[in-house]
Amino acid sequence: NIIILGLFAFMSVPVLQSYILILAKSYTPESMDIASSLNISSFSFGIVLGSFVGGQALNIWGLRSTALIAGMLLAITLIMMLIEMNLEKKRQTLVQVES
């Protein structure tokens, strides 16, 4: 299970990196270097945040709470992803209208 989880977690990195670079190129081509570095920085921040929150949950509520906290973080992530998808659709609509 750990191997499969690791594969799924790290197989998404190149796809997300490519997507970020495509977006940066379409909106602000001069910012591709910054977009690339911010993408990797956000992965590192996610690791730090997950470790911190998981450690706090472990200290306060015990081992069983870590799965519940991870589920809450996942739900927050999914909500943020849906918001971003909605914003991207609006951006695409605006670009098509301007063209």
Side-chain angles (χ1 to χ4, degrees), residues 10-82:
F10 290 106
M11 285 184 343
S12 66
V13 174
V15 174
L16 292 172
Q17 181 77 14
S18 297
Y19 180 65
I20 293 296
L21 292 177
I22 289 168
L23 287 177
K25 186 176 182 180
S26 67
Y27 291 111
T28 52
E30 65 276 357
S31 68
M32 288 184 60
D33 293 337
I34 299 292
S36 179
S37 65
L38 285 175
N39 184 45
I40 298 304
S41 296
S42 66
F43 278 109
S44 297
F45 179 73
I47 291 168
V48 169
L49 181 65
S51 299
F52 176 75
V53 171
Q56 292 301 314
L58 185 64
N59 283 336
I60 296 170
W61 297 296
L63 185 60
R64 291 183 184 215
S65 69
T66 56
L68 179 63
I69 298 298
M72 288 179 184
L73 288 174
L74 178 63
I76 292 168
T77 303
L78 289 173
I79 290 168
M80 290 172 60
M81 185 182 72
L82 291 172

